Amino acid sequence: MRQTLEFLLNDWLKVETLNQRERFADHSSETFAAVLDTSERIAREKFAPFNRLCDTEEPHFDGDKVHLPQATHEAMAAFVESGLLAAAQDYELGGMQLPCVIEMAAKCFFSKASVALSGYPMLTKGNANLLMAHGTDKQREVFAAHEFSGRWFGTMCLSEPQAGSSLSDIATRAEPDGDDELGPRYRLKGNKMWISGGEHELSENIIHLVLAKIPGPDGKPLPGTKGISLFVVPKHLVNARAELTGERNDVSLAGLNHKLGYRGTTNCLLNFGEGRFKPGGKAGAIGYLVGQPGEGLRCMFHMMNEARIGVGLGAVMLGYAGYEASLEYARQRPQGRPVGPAGKDSAQPQRPIIEHADVKRMLLAQKSYVEGGLALSLYCARLVDEEHTGTPDAVAEAKRLLEVLTPIAKSWPSEWCLEANSLAIQVLGGYGYTRDFPVEQYWRDNRLNMIHEGTHGIQGLDLLGRKVVMDGGAALMALAGRINTTVQQAVQRPELAELGNQLAAALARVGGATKKAWATGHPEEALANATPYLQAFGHTVLAWIWLELALAAPGESDFARGKQSAARYFYAFELPRIAAWLEVVERREGLCREMKDAWF
């Protein structure tokens, strides 16, 4: 993986050019490599050896505390000590001022070694980044700074038992409770479900970011998403000097969810304000308003979009881990003999299964999914750097591209790198579904990612319903401009000209389908087939990514031929799928929308 990672960073994305920018001027290719070396070492020594342990020894709750394997505590301590929680932050915050693309590359090693363990720092960084963007100076100083240092960990609390993805229906209330140096103070009451990292003893404190509704003048919460506000709610109360007051906030664990995968990350039902603890002598979890009342969802999307790219990368790395395991197995496992004109000669020795065409097909599919998915994740991270440090025109284009690519960066790896895990199991045959090999756990862990941070259907609705039509289709046009530039480069290369033509045709088909989906102007008709649209759009994006990589990997070396072959595979076996997906979009197929409950 390291060779591919360095190819993507150096030969394709040209990350060394970022060092010409003021923010990254202290860095060089050597410092970037040192960060990757450190990450690879910690992941190899502290994360990977305990991935199975964290799966088999699930978190358990004794009614007072959550217990995790000691290896989890040691892995988190090593991660905190490395300073990677603040890797992209200012020097003044103890950060390294690393580009986002390098921080994301470093994250690859941890997600591949143990995606469940890597969830704690991912959530903590996202929480702190949100506070840096939307919190007050004091909230940044007290909460964000101590999350970046690793003293405290963080969460995001959105869903509720009765309102999963439908956040407009959340019932958690926030009643005004005076003012405080940490912000306007409220008392929260309600329940939050599916909270990853919601309870543990890995850090001194847990900082929850909680969505809740402030009652209006009539005492009732405002309906819909406009009434949602955001609050920072610490497990243990702190003062304005970031010292623990010794008082426990009214946040308690109701129970742990026992999951198919990601078992090393606690997943919690949290009760806020049930009265088990009474800070200040009364029930109600104390929280401090972040941003303005009614703008909670807008603020939270800062963390959610970051988390969506992170979930996509986690899915990629689980796929990558399975690919490498199945590749190693295929090279070692003897089975079957060559078939000549006279049939098989049983006197001949068996050959490794990697010599069978169908096994090569499964390995090529995995390679195209995981390496393409990794490239997409890093490309999005590079756009984040452009958004933060580019020229005004570059910033505007990066924002548009991220709008349209974020649903793909989350959803495409979650579907197709899961398929890579399924193929890895298939390569191993019967051994694949036993616990003697790791590939079954990779599949179980990865299956959660199609649900994490917005289900597949939600990503499709977001893409077709908002992203490709917003601002007159500006984001889609920005992406089309990038793709067309790649096509023009490819058609100048005889060996890639046909792929360029195929990509141009796919892009035109997606554009036409987008117009036809909205031809009647009725959202229900347009969006009934949003998921097939998402799949076709994603495959077109990945075809573009693979053409980019083929352009960046000329030559006859084994490494280059591998990239070229994966690109050819994607165009021969994957890109043709978009025709069937887009047909139902183009004709606004009504079957799923019109199907009646009783007919099932």
Side-chain angles (χ1 to χ4, degrees):
M1 185 190 84
R2 182 66 182 265
Q3 186 182 10
T4 291
L5 189 60
E6 291 184 346
F7 159 73
L8 295 174
L9 294 172
N10 301 323
D11 299 328
W12 180 46
L13 295 174
K14 311 291 185 185
V15 295
E16 73 279 358
T17 61
L18 289 170
N19 301 334
Q20 299 168 14
R21 302 182 182 185
E22 182 180 356
R23 180 169 182 80
F24 310 125
D26 292 340
H27 288 293
S28 64
S29 57
E30 288 76 19
T31 61
F32 291 165
V35 170
L36 298 183
D37 288 342
T38 298
S39 301
E40 188 172 20
R41 176 183 56 79
I42 296 172
R44 181 178 63 248
E45 295 176 357
K46 297 295 185 179
F47 281 61
F50 309 106
N51 190 44
R52 177 65 84 182
L53 175 71
C54 294
D55 181 65
T56 56
E57 293 188 17
E58 290 188 68
H60 68 275
F61 180 44
D62 65 6
D64 180 36
K65 292 182 179 180
V66 170
H67 297 271
L68 296 165
Q70 181 60 29
T72 302
H73 292 261
E74 293 172 1
M76 292 305 102
F79 193 97
V80 166
E81 186 179 356
S82 73
L84 288 169
L85 276 168
Q89 300 306 311
D90 295 347
Y91 294 135
E92 292 75 15
L93 278 170
M96 307 178 196
Q97 291 189 191
L98 281 173
C100 178
V101 67
I102 299 300
E103 183 186 36
M104 190 72 76
K107 183 180 182 294
C108 291
F109 297 105
F110 298 101
S111 294
K112 181 166 172 274
S114 178
V115 73
L117 291 179
S118 69
Y120 297 105
M122 184 190 85
L123 288 162
T124 299
K125 283 193 286 187
N127 179 307
N129 284 337
L130 183 151
L131 290 171
M132 293 301 294
H134 300 289
T136 64
D137 290 343
K138 184 58 70 172
Q139 288 170 350
R140 296 186 193 107
E141 175 189 334
V142 171
F143 296 113
H146 292 278
E147 289 182 273
F148 286 132
S149 74
R151 178 187 173 197
W152 301 337
F153 279 9
T155 73
M156 55 193 294
C157 301
L158 290 77
S159 297
E160 298 181 4
Q162 83 293 340
S165 300
S166 182
L167 295 177
S168 61
D169 295 314
I170 65 170
T172 300
R173 293 169 61 96
E175 303 277 356
D177 192 44
D179 287 318
D180 192 287
E181 287 185 81
L182 296 174
R185 191 175 63 243
Y186 288 76
R187 292 276 180 161
L188 276 68
K189 294 186 178 181
N191 314 101
K192 292 294 179 178
M193 186 62 155
W194 314 118
I195 309 307
S196 295
E199 182 57 45
H200 54 72
E201 302 295 324
L202 296 171
S203 58
E204 181 184 77
N205 206 353
I206 302 174
I207 310 304
H208 303 291
L209 286 175
V210 185
L211 291 180
K213 291 187 175 182
I214 301 171
D218 60 357
K220 298 179 180 179
L222 294 174
T225 59
K226 292 181 180 179
I228 297 175
S229 300
L230 179 64
F231 303 87
V232 57
V233 183
K235 173 183 173 181
H236 298 284
L237 294 179
V238 303
N239 60 28
R241 297 180 299 280
E243 300 164 335
L244 298 185
T245 66
E247 196 168 18
R248 174 74 184 263
N249 206 355
D250 195 6
V251 183
S252 59
L253 176 66
L256 294 173
N257 296 306
H258 298 282
K259 304 170 293 176
L260 172 76
Y262 266 83
R263 292 175 176 170
T265 308
T266 58
N267 190 275
C268 309
L269 171 59
L270 297 178
N271 292 338
F272 291 82
E274 70 171 355
R276 180 179 178 187
F277 304 98
K278 293 183 169 60
K282 62 179 182 178
I286 292 176
Y288 306 98
L289 182 67
V290 178
Q292 297 300 311
E295 294 191 358
L297 207 54
R298 183 183 69 84
C299 295
M300 184 60 90
F301 262 103
H302 186 282
M303 183 175 182
M304 288 169 68
N305 283 330
E306 181 179 333
R308 283 172 175 173
I309 296 172
V311 165
L313 181 67
V316 167
M317 299 320 299
L318 284 165
Y320 219 122
Y323 166 59
E324 290 187 342
S326 64
L327 177 60
E328 180 183 11
Y329 181 89
R331 285 171 169 162
Q332 296 176 356
R333 169 70 169 174
Q335 189 164 294
R337 294 170 174 83
V339 180
K344 293 182 182 179
D345 181 357
S346 59
Q348 294 295 316
Q350 295 191 89
R351 58 178 178 171
I353 63 172
I354 198 171
E355 295 183 19
H356 296 294
D358 195 54
V359 173
K360 292 178 185 178
R361 176 190 62 81
M362 292 187 283
L363 292 169
L364 264 173
Q366 291 180 69
K367 182 179 179 68
S368 75
Y369 299 155
V370 304
E371 292 185 2
L374 176 57
L376 173 62
S377 299
L378 294 176
Y379 188 85
C380 288
R382 180 65 183 80
L383 288 174
V384 171
D385 289 319
E386 206 61 40
E387 186 181 17
H388 292 164
T389 64
T391 64
D393 286 346
V395 168
E397 184 176 32
K399 285 180 180 292
R400 288 192 290 268
L401 289 167
L402 281 168
E403 288 281 7
V404 78
L405 286 177
T406 296
I408 304 303
K410 188 274 170 183
S411 66
W412 194 92
S414 298
E415 179 173 6
W416 295 100
C417 293
L418 176 68
E419 175 63 14
N421 289 135
S422 181
L423 290 170
I425 293 172
Q426 192 70 23
V427 169
L428 269 68
Y431 290 108
Y433 52 71
T434 70
R435 291 200 172 193
D436 297 321
F437 289 85
V439 289
E440 60 84 26
Q441 183 185 342
Y442 297 146
W443 186 93
R444 286 188 290 105
D445 286 343
N446 217 351
R447 186 58 188 83
L448 277 63
N449 285 319
M450 287 180 72
I451 298 171
H452 281 160
E453 303 310 326
T455 64
H456 241 45
I458 287 173
Q459 302 300 329
L461 293 171
D462 182 42
L463 180 66
L464 182 55
R466 292 181 58 245
K467 299 299 178 62
V468 298
V469 296
M470 63 192 297
D471 300 325
L476 181 57
M477 287 188 285
L479 178 61
R482 293 275 176 118
I483 294 175
N484 282 323
T485 297
T486 304
V487 168
Q488 292 306 311
Q489 293 171 352
V491 296
Q492 303 303 315
R493 297 259 295 269
E495 73 278 12
L496 297 177
E498 179 55 32
L499 302 190
N501 290 330
Q502 287 180 248
L503 179 57
L507 177 63
R509 185 80 185 265
V510 168
T514 306
K515 293 177 182 177
K516 290 177 181 177
W518 284 101
T520 65
H522 296 304
E524 285 200 2
E525 288 186 15
L527 300 177
N529 299 295
T531 295
Y533 179 86
L534 177 77
Q535 292 171 308
F537 198 105
H539 259 49
T540 303
V541 167
L542 266 292
W544 165 55
I545 292 289
W546 268 114
L547 192 54
E548 280 273 308
L549 301 187
L551 285 163
E556 296 296 321
S557 68
D558 288 344
F559 182 83
R561 291 297 297 272
K563 297 293 179 281
Q564 296 158 18
S565 297
R568 286 173 52 207
Y569 172 86
F570 200 86
Y571 277 78
F573 288 81
E574 297 294 334
L575 190 57
R577 295 176 188 255
I578 75 166
W581 288 324
L582 291 179
E583 280 178 7
V584 296
V585 177
E586 291 163 344
R587 66 173 183 263
R588 297 180 300 284
E589 172 60 56
L591 175 61
C592 297
R593 178 169 54 87
E594 297 163 359
M595 183 72 180
K596 304 297 184 185
D597 183 347
W599 299 349
F600 286 103

